[in-house]
Amino acid sequence: MHAQDGEGAGSPEARAAAEQESIVVTGSRIRTSGFNSPQPLTVIGAEQIRNLVQTNSQDVLNSIPQITSAISDTNPGNASGAEVGSATANLRGLNPFYGTRTLTLVNTRRFVPTGDGGAVDLNLIPSALIARVETVTGGASAAYGSDAVAGVVNIILDNKMTGLRAQVDSGLTFRGDGRKIHGSLAYGTSFAGDRGHIIVGVEYQDQDEIESCFNARRWCQAGWDIFENANNILPNGQPSGYNVPGSPGFGLPNYVLGRDSALAFNTPYGVVRNRAPAPLAARNYRFTADGRGIVPFDQGEFVNNSTIGQVQGSDGISNYDDASLQAGLERIVAYTAAEFALSDSLTLSGEFNYGKRIARAATLTAGPRSTFFVKATNPYVPPELAALLGGASFSFGKDLDGQIPSYSRAEVEVYRGVIALSGDLGGSWKWDAYYQYGHNERNQMRNRSRVNTPFTFALDAVRAPAGNVLGAAPGTIVCAELLKPNPNPIAVGCSPANFFGLDNLTQAAIDYVYRPVFEDFVYDQHVLAASITGDLFGGIGAGPIGFAAGGEYRTESGNVTHGDIPNYLDYAFTFGLDYGGSIKVLEGFTELNAPLLAGLPGAERLDLNGAIRYTRNSAKNRITDEAKSTTATSWKLSAIYEPVRGVRFRGSRSRDIRAAGFRELFLQQVPTDPGTSQGTVRNPNGPGGNANDATPILSGGSFQLGAEKADTTTAGIVLQPAFVPGLRFSADWFEIKLKDAVTTLSGQSIVDLCDQFDTFCDRITFNGGNLADISFIDARQVNLGLITYRGLDFELEYNLPLSDVASNWDGALTLRVLAAHQYDLKVQPDPNVRALDYAGMTGPLVGRADFNPAPAWRWNASVTYNQGGFTSVLQVRRIGSGIGDVTKVGPEDEGYDPSLPNSISVNRFDGATYVDLAMTYRIPFGSGDQNFEIFGKIENLFDKSPPIAVATGGSGGSPYPTNPVFFDTLGARFQTGVRVRY
């Protein structure tokens, strides 16, 4: 890929100027042109951003196929957390769940992390002031420091802007939802006889939330999902499954793709689950609306014997009825930058950023656990059901979203200031130094979270006897715990809960059982850095030997607190513990660029470049007072060889490093609730094999984590043939070998690895040594294994003045194609375990994945027509077809057999092609480039619905029947507005 630098970079004149201009491009500290980069480098310029009406930094990055938007406003999920509404850069999909392997820079400097995983929320960077976005895919740690394992995204803001720019626009989907309003205003001017320059800018966006996809989109109502055909229970209490001869599931594979997905026993009326201790005659009844009667309930197919997870075709609520299709988002961003020449050789400059994001998305209200049991004597139990129970208790399910709507809300506020000095030392030598301070505050709130002990107390309702300690009238329904001589203090304020029927819960019961939870994150970053660049000497005839060196000292500290929560263990899904710590980083680097040959037969050019960086990382845990220091060395070697003009070869080899980040080091959690979907594993040593085993699972960070190390190799060719003026093409091969990857293993993965490979068995505790009864699993993060990523990147650009076709034709056409091909993504968690290749996987990974696989092919092509004041852009985006789940075997795969435990009925999903159209008309006024613009854009012009691409089945599930990381879930939508440049 090549650089398209700055304004109007697509024109031949701009390209020629870029070749001559000496600028700093990402991937190197030595001043050179973007086209001369020895590493794959893609640049999106301001003109393209305006032409495509991209009003958010992530919109810009989404046009680059190497970017995977795993965290975005269109992927809030069922259990939206602190990152709801955020947008982060994720090159190659290599970001881990708790951190980032993509270094995001603003004006070639680090930006304060906005999440406790270390990533930067692109919403808080002013898109209206972007001059260009540079993306280097790999090999930049030596130049810019740790975290650049997958590469660097460098957002360059237009600090030299002059005049006034204003924009107002709004958008809406074709279905009338997802309203978006956006506006920006910026002004720049010189002063003091051009010795100084200042710019100020502000940007605002307000975006509506879109409700659950089941309610908002017809394609979602089909309810496609993958159902697990194992350990199932029939209405008569008999087992069923792919491995149970004579059962309805026998003969089908273990995983089955089908329609009409619902959550097991999840209905707003309440339902008796099909499980003991309730007798068979009392199971599979739901309550009437008034809660005083019962009617039969169809439990559906593929009902797991734990009565949790997804089922097919039941009378319950759709599995896709809860998660927002798009998060509501409000953001405001302000930016100012100034510089002043104190003398001919000394310049003072400064920057200030302010950003605020408020985001909201619906979440699943936690209903009763399957292990919560109701006594037959409960006065709210209908007499008809009590007779069927015969004194036995029962487990019940209920969808509570209607009466207790739950949502997650996150508010993030960021301040960042930079003060810098730069100057000339004579000749080619320049220096710069700066101090930067960044401060981030994030406040997250979930309005209703189930509290388990109050739930059980409110569920245990009885009629007060005469002379009771509460003084309640005899026969009054009260909480049984309050009648005890010494009730549990948690029972204070208990209000009995009638969960049966529709809307029969009192507000007092709701407030007692469901309470808000909070998380506050405060983070500070200080950076002090200096560097020097220049030419060491004139070289050996091919050009001067360039040199750069510098150092950086960075301190980062943060705290995560949760307010006054007395018992974290008591909240649904567990909530978390307070944690915090500090990280100090000292780095020094040096870089050389040596032109060896130039202007010779067979060697128009040969350049070598090398860099090395030393990093010392110290961390201290605020909670435990643990402290540790690690050191690492990163380096880079690269070369450019141009045998003849217009043909250029390039290659690089680098060692990149990433130290464990704040959350990966310091996160503390409590074990999951056993018996819930998060606290259940399939134990191959259990009764009958592969049986459900309820066990607490501890996840979270680890202070024992070491640095990741990646060896990255690239090799490519850039063609600019003289016989086709305006054409440039590049193709690059890459390989990233990531060692000691910080990894999150699920509880199930640890159980499987222990059983199959005798690995990680020390992380499992068995009750009394009984392998059939797991009592605890330690699933905290570790360094392990190897991730090997290989692929190809392509870029083509062709500029054609139409007068070259016919002398009387006006205007010009520009074709640009960006493509990414992934053919290897091999993950080997341990040397004793065979590598598994995730390349080409389209279905989303369930759980806390430490990478995001992608379809084998993704490309983005655009054709731009420019004629006078009119510009039109037609963009075609293609996401290729792919594998549903590489851990499964389907009819499309070799060795398929429905009797295999990893068999699946369908293991290939279709791709999708989307077409966007944008138009701009400029009306000039005044002088220079002053103009008034009217613009509009339609995304997904043909309203293409996303293909089926669901998760892997089981109790985890997916909040959408497609993969929103790649596929468009909103449908056709338009955006219109006006701009003024004065």
Side-chain angles (χ1 to χ4, degrees), residues 50-55 166-170 182 918-921 933-937 975-980:
R50 286 199 307 273
N51 289 342
L52 286 172
V53 193
Q54 294 169 330
T55 56
Q167 175 173 323
V168 177
D169 56 89
S170 64
H182 169 264
M919 295 184 181
T920 302
Y921 185 70
E933 295 183 2
I934 303 172
F935 60 85
K937 174 179 69 171
Q975 189 173 349
T976 59
V978 295
R979 298 188 191 101
V980 175

Side-chain angles (χ1 to χ4, degrees), residues 307-331:
T307 64
I308 58 177
Q310 301 96 264
V311 298
Q312 183 180 26
S314 83
D315 289 340
I317 296 295
S318 169
N319 184 39
Y320 306 119
D321 193 55
D322 296 300
S324 297
L325 200 62
Q326 175 178 273
L329 174 67
E330 183 179 12
R331 68 182 181 100

Side-chain angles (χ1 to χ4, degrees), residues 560-594:
V560 176
T561 55
H562 298 88
D564 185 20
I565 297 179
N567 188 352
Y568 297 97
L569 279 170
D570 218 20
Y571 283 78
F573 311 126
T574 71
F575 187 61
L577 297 169
D578 293 354
Y579 61 97
S582 61
I583 300 172
K584 298 179 180 179
V585 183
L586 179 63
E587 298 185 299
F589 76 92
T590 186
E591 181 178 2
L592 283 173
N593 188 72

